[in-house]
């Protein structure tokens, strides 16, 4: 099966084989070596110029997102959530679950957030301590203007928390230049590892501020996770050891390919797909200038249900992805993250064309 969903993605044989490296006790020095190598590779890939550290959490992307959000707001302060999709909404729901004092700016799912309104909101409310948003809204494949929001948080000296779970490894990002303080990622999207591990990259300057925040969770405590990994070379709770093997291998592959080359490969794949979708008269949900390198949301062809399209392609070996929320019945999504060759994509297009013609 070729997975065209935005994670978990198709992985290489090398990554899958890494799972078989053998059983290991997570309290032995061998695990500390593995942990430290994996953390170093994350930093080499996404913060090559220093100033950042990272902590890995056993759990899907949302675990690290929740750890980042629940560990980053001081008592009595507010979080500003910028929401233009299902994942912006998820940040908002996490903030609510912790009963945070929250300001939320909601935008249409097909639009970028309004920068003037964001600056206005931040500048007028000195209680806003953390500004949180999504880098690549996986709901629609929309790329948000993180650099401009980072300029605002830098200007007003606020913490910028970014969900780049579907961005890291797939989209342009420079944590230093984009002024990102806390950045969330996962193993099984553009990094091409296996599901079960996620991570947080944190600016060194943020750490003392985070230390003064009372813990709100035992497991998802960013500082406790970081300290244990940094000082003892261990994870506080049982880590998914075998998934670590695969994650370390996937990061090795990413570094060998080069982060920029990975982006270029995805960009080339998505632009090939988009040209072909146009040829097949499929209409994209978003204008070209808002599109990421890895997801294309398309309107369902007239007189075709998602179930029919999905099932027909699945029979032919391809897994596509449904729309979410308000776009549930209207769109379908094709992601080109993961170990997918141009031959696979050509075969997808051939099969898609046949399915569309059969239903005419
Ligand atoms: C995939 C994703 C998540 C996390 O999803 P999990 O299922 O918990 O891994 C969060 N944010 C974005 C933008 C995502 O694409």
């Amino acid at each position: 099966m070729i997975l065209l969903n935005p994670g978990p993605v198709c992985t290489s044989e090398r990554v899958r084989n890494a799972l078989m490296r053998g059983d290991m006790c997570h309290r032995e020095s061998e695990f500390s070596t593995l942990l430290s190598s994996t953390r170093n590779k994350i930093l080499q890939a996404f913060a090559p110029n220093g100033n950042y550290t990272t902590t890995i959490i056993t759990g899907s992307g949302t675990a690290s997102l929740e750890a980042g959000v629940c560990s980053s707001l001081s008592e009595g302060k507010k979080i500003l959530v910028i929401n233009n999709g299902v994942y912006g909404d998820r940040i908002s729901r996490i903030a609510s679950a912790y009963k945070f004092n929250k300001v939320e700016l909601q935008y249409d799912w097909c639009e970028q957030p309004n920068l003037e309104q964001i600056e206005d909101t931040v500048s007028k409310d000195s209680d806003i301590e953390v500004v949180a948003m999504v880098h690549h809204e996986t709901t629609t494949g929309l790329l948000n203007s993180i650099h401009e929001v980072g300029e605002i948080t830098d200007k007003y000296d606020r913490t910028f928390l970014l969900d780049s779970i579907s961005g890291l490894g797939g989209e342009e990002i420079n944590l230093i230049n984009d002024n990102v303080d806390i950045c969330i990622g996962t193993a099984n999207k553009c990094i091409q590892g296996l599901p079960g591990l996620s991570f947080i990259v944190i600016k060194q300057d943020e750490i003392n501020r985070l230390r003064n925040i009372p813990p709100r969770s035992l497991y998802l405590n960013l500082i406790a996770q970081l300290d244990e990994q940094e000082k003892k070379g261990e994870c506080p709770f049982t880590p998914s050891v075998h998934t670590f093997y695969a994650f370390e291998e996937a990061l090795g592959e990413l570094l060998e390919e080069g982060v920029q080359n990975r982006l270029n490969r995805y960009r080339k794949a998505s632009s090939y797909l988009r040209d072909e979708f146009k040829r097949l008269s499929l209409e994209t949900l978003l204008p070209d200038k808002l599109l990421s390198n890895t997801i294309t949301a398309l309107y369902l062809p007239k007189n075709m249900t998602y179930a029919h399209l999905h099932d027909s392609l699945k029979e032919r070996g391809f897994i596509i992805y449904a729309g979410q929320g308000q776009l549930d019945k209207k769109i379908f999504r094709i992601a080109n993250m993961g170990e997918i060759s141009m031959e696979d994509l050509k075969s997808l297009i051939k099969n898609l064309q046949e399915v569309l013609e059969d239903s005419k």
Side-chain angles (χ1 to χ4, degrees):
M1 281 288 172
I2 307 287
L3 302 183
L4 302 159
N5 50 296
V9 301
C10 285
T11 52
S12 69
E13 204 175 321
R14 175 176 158 187
V15 166
R16 290 191 305 274
N17 284 343
L19 282 175
M20 312 296 227
R21 281 192 213 160
D23 298 328
M24 181 195 273
C25 171
H26 66 298
R27 298 295 178 210
E28 294 298 320
S29 65
E30 289 82 0
F31 183 74
S32 295
T33 306
L34 174 64
L35 176 62
S36 136
S37 160
T38 312
R39 291 178 61 229
N40 285 337
K41 284 179 177 153
I42 291 174
L43 294 173
Q44 251 178 283
F46 304 116
N49 300 316
N51 295 340
Y52 287 82
T53 184
T54 187
T55 184
I56 302 171
I57 293 182
T58 288
S60 78
T62 306
S64 281
L65 182 62
E66 181 162 339
V69 172
C70 86
S71 309
S72 63
L73 192 71
S74 303
E75 292 281 287
K77 296 287 189 182
K78 295 180 189 167
I79 184 169
L80 169 65
V81 180
I82 300 166
N83 173 355
N84 62 339
V86 165
Y87 295 95
D89 192 60
R90 184 169 297 181
I91 301 178
S92 175
R93 286 165 58 207
I94 294 171
S96 295
Y98 287 89
K99 302 193 165 51
F100 279 178
N101 206 341
K102 172 179 81 179
V103 182
E104 187 168 359
L105 292 174
Q106 288 192 28
Y107 298 98
D108 190 282
W109 284 9
C110 296
E111 276 172 21
Q112 285 198 331
N114 180 326
L115 296 167
E116 273 168 39
Q117 189 182 25
I118 293 169
E119 174 154 11
D120 195 54
T121 306
V122 170
S123 68
K124 286 185 178 146
D125 191 345
S126 59
D127 283 344
I128 293 175
E129 183 180 38
V130 176
V131 176
M133 78 184 295
V134 173
H135 181 189
H136 169 211
E137 247 310 340
T138 316
T139 321
T140 50
L142 184 151
L143 207 53
N144 278 324
S145 336
I146 56 164
H147 183 75
E148 290 74 6
V149 174
E151 281 178 339
I152 296 170
T153 58
D154 186 46
K155 180 170 167 193
Y156 296 94
D157 200 22
R158 313 298 163 89
T159 291
F160 186 18
L161 184 151
L162 188 68
D163 168 353
S164 188
I165 291 174
S166 64
L168 289 174
E171 306 299 330
E172 305 281 352
I173 179 169
N174 180 320
L175 296 181
I176 295 179
N177 292 345
D178 298 334
N179 293 300
V180 181
D181 298 295
I182 300 173
C183 185
I184 322 297
T186 197
N188 64 112
K189 292 192 182 180
C190 303
I191 302 174
Q192 301 184 182
L194 294 166
L197 291 173
S198 53
F199 61 94
I200 309 169
V201 180
I202 313 135
K203 194 181 263 175
Q204 296 282 5
D205 298 349
E206 266 289 290
I207 292 170
N208 283 335
R209 188 183 71 77
L210 299 183
R211 268 189 209 297
N212 293 322
I213 298 172
R216 300 186 175 101
S217 165
L218 183 71
Y219 197 97
L220 301 177
N221 181 331
L222 193 163
I223 284 291
Q225 290 274 357
L226 178 68
D227 280 349
E228 192 100 350
Q229 295 186 21
E230 209 134 76
K231 295 181 183 148
K232 287 175 69 184
E234 287 186 9
C235 294
F237 310 102
T238 308
S240 180
V241 173
H242 303 72
T243 316
F244 261 93
Y245 293 145
F247 190 23
E248 193 211 24
E249 202 70 47
L251 285 160
E253 250 182 13
L254 172 65
L255 291 167
E256 284 164 34
E257 181 175 356
V259 176
Q260 191 60 47
N261 293 333
R262 173 74 53 94
L263 254 75
N264 294 345
R265 170 160 68 84
Y266 286 158
R267 186 175 289 145
K268 192 174 147 209
S270 57
S271 83
Y272 163 76
L273 287 175
R274 286 164 194 166
D275 287 346
E276 292 296 307
F277 295 148
K278 212 164 275 169
R279 188 176 63 77
L280 299 177
S281 308
L282 290 165
E283 194 191 339
T284 52
L285 175 72
L286 298 176
D288 289 353
K289 65 177 195 321
L290 297 182
L291 289 170
S292 71
N293 294 328
T294 55
I295 295 178
T296 310
L298 298 153
Y299 286 103
L300 282 163
K302 284 195 182 56
N303 309 320
M304 192 183 287
T305 62
Y306 175 75
H308 176 78
L309 183 61
H310 168 271
D311 296 354
S312 311
L313 285 168
K314 187 172 181 180
E315 271 168 31
R316 293 157 177 263
F318 299 93
I319 300 291
I320 61 166
Y321 215 47
Q324 286 163 292
Q326 52 186 258
L327 295 171
D328 184 19
K329 298 271 182 301
K330 287 188 191 148
I331 65 161
F332 66 103
R333 289 176 290 171
I334 305 256
N336 54 275
M337 298 169 184
E339 188 70 13
I340 306 175
S341 68
M342 283 307 283
E343 292 314 306
D344 296 332
L345 296 179
K346 284 178 186 156
S347 165
L348 163 73
I349 293 297
K350 181 173 157 284
N351 281 280
L352 179 60
Q353 181 162 6
E354 285 167 11
V355 170
L356 295 175
E357 277 164 9
D358 283 352
S359 71
K360 267 183 191 155

